[in-house]
Amino acid sequence: MTTKLFRHAHIYTPKMGPGPAAGAAQAEVAEWRDGSILVEDERIAAVGAAQDVENKAAGKALDEEHDLEGAAVIPGFVDSHTHACFAATREGEFSMRLAGKPYLEILKAGGGILSSVRDVRAASEEDLFHFSRRLLKTTLHYGTTTVEIKSGYGLDTETELKMLRVIARLGRETPQTVTPTFMGAHAVPEEHKANPAGYVTLLENEMLPAVAKQGIARFCDVFCEEGVFSVEQSRKILQKARTLGMGLKLHADEVHDLGGASLAGELRAISAEHLLAASDEGIEKLAQGGVVAVLLPATAYSLKKPFARAQTMIEKGVPVALATDLNPGSCFCQSMPFVVSLAIMRMNLTPEEALVGTTLNAAWAIGMEKEVGSLEPGKMADFVVLDGESPAVLAYASGARPVRLVCAKGMLSE
Ligand code: NIG
Ligand code: FE
């Protein structure tokens, strides 16, 4: 066993409750000014006030001792919404968007997600793995220790399974914890353009059962949006996924208010994501259904859209999580500090609310709350040593990387 002791840490962490932190609890963060963390292999053995941790460490042979000199320490970021498995970027499309072409029009014309589908179908499994691993390495450098990754650039059974195998391998071969989501309902592929209903049937009858049989996706997600999948189609796909034992997620009301948030509430999905255009009714339904709102401020920034109404959601009792949405199209963001920065400066969340949103609530949004998201004995030794005194430095040091050290499953990187 390898034992590491970290001393003189100013620890900030949400604390595990019976459910995701909603309302006032969104801002509840425990703090130890002179804290320590004892790590045994990949797990936290003890954490908290220096003396308590020293007592637990007494008599143990320490392989490493680190003096953190009073730096702020937070749980590793849980990036609960990404599409970080793809084969090429789409910078050309970004230039088109800057010139005024709307995101959904690019998709309608056969570009956007569909151009990534062509890239992923053409890529070998090995190339797809290496490209995606590079992305994950960058996210780790910025403090992400857990990442949810969606498939959805295959849109046929064979390529979706290829993506999910790559996602599983990323979990085995990087220091990060990876949670896989099947998103065959990300767009209607070119070959089904004339008959989108046929693609929904294929999803229900062939793709979902094939994925479930291999047990390589924990969740199913659908892009419920004008010109993509309707509320009715999304309901059908998600209901089928539920019968196969998958958890439910939904890309809801990203560009238009179709009623995706209400659907997520009705189905009691684990999360509804984006929600830029969610209505008051939709927000009510999320609260009633106990659904975590996964907000993606870097996507609003990149699409030049108004931010999701995070404060209203918190007031109404919806637990809020914050993620990057890392993808080649709408948002090529690999930095959780940038997400925190936007949440604080543009969505008016407090640093505490943003911290809970990027750690413990994010862990709840992907069913990983028992393993990650807060600094507690028994959980993964995942934490970020910040280059500052408090989590507010993530917004204060705008555009920089105020990260000194990242610990993922007990492994350190600078
Ligand atoms: O979350 N909205 C759908 N999916 C992604 C974008 C994927 C892409 O453009 O490649 C999103 O914004
Ligand atoms: Fe997304």
Side-chain angles (χ1 to χ4, degrees), residues 312-325:
T312 310
M313 293 178 197
I314 293 173
E315 271 163 34
K316 299 280 178 198
V318 179
V320 166
L322 296 152
T324 61
D325 195 21

Side-chain angles (χ1 to χ4, degrees), residues 164-203:
L164 289 165
R165 281 195 302 273
V166 167
I167 293 168
R169 185 172 165 202
L170 290 167
R172 290 193 302 273
E173 297 185 26
T174 71
Q176 287 147 301
T177 301
V178 173
T179 306
T181 296
F182 169 65
M183 201 173 176
H186 197 191
V188 176
E190 220 66 272
E191 63 274 18
H192 290 274
K193 211 171 158 185
N195 179 21
Y199 185 60
V200 174
T201 308
L202 186 77
L203 276 161

Side-chain angles (χ1 to χ4, degrees), residues 81 83 150 183 186 251 254 274 296 325 327:
H81 177 140
H83 307 256
K150 302 172 197 294
M183 201 173 176
H186 197 191
H251 275 59
E254 175 177 355
H274 286 287
L296 310 157
D325 195 21
N327 73 73

Side-chain angles (χ1 to χ4, degrees), residues 69-92:
E69 300 169 330
V73 174
I74 59 173
F77 291 121
V78 177
D79 194 351
S80 55
H81 177 140
T82 83
H83 307 256
C85 181
F86 50 90
T89 56
R90 298 192 331 243
E91 278 183 65

Side-chain angles (χ1 to χ4, degrees), residues 222-251:
V222 177
F223 188 14
C224 180
E225 183 55 70
E226 218 169 273
V228 192
F229 295 96
S230 68
V231 169
E232 258 328 297
Q233 290 172 326
S234 304
R235 183 185 284 110
K236 274 180 79 179
I237 297 163
L238 290 177
Q239 277 171 341
K240 177 71 189 201
R242 178 166 272 163
T243 66
L244 293 167
M246 289 182 210
L248 310 186
K249 292 180 160 285
L250 189 64
H251 275 59

Side-chain angles (χ1 to χ4, degrees), residues 16 43 78 145-148 176-180 218-219 270 359-374 379-380 382 409:
M16 198 54 187
R43 305 249 168 202
V78 177
T145 50
T146 299
V147 59
E148 182 255 15
Q176 287 147 301
T177 301
V178 173
T179 306
R218 189 155 171 191
F219 299 102
I270 192 162
T359 56
L360 191 52
N361 272 2
W364 280 99
I366 56 171
M368 291 298 287
E369 70 280 355
K370 295 207 174 89
E371 290 285 318
V372 300
S374 60
K379 280 197 168 182
M380 270 323 158
D382 289 352
K409 293 190 185 142

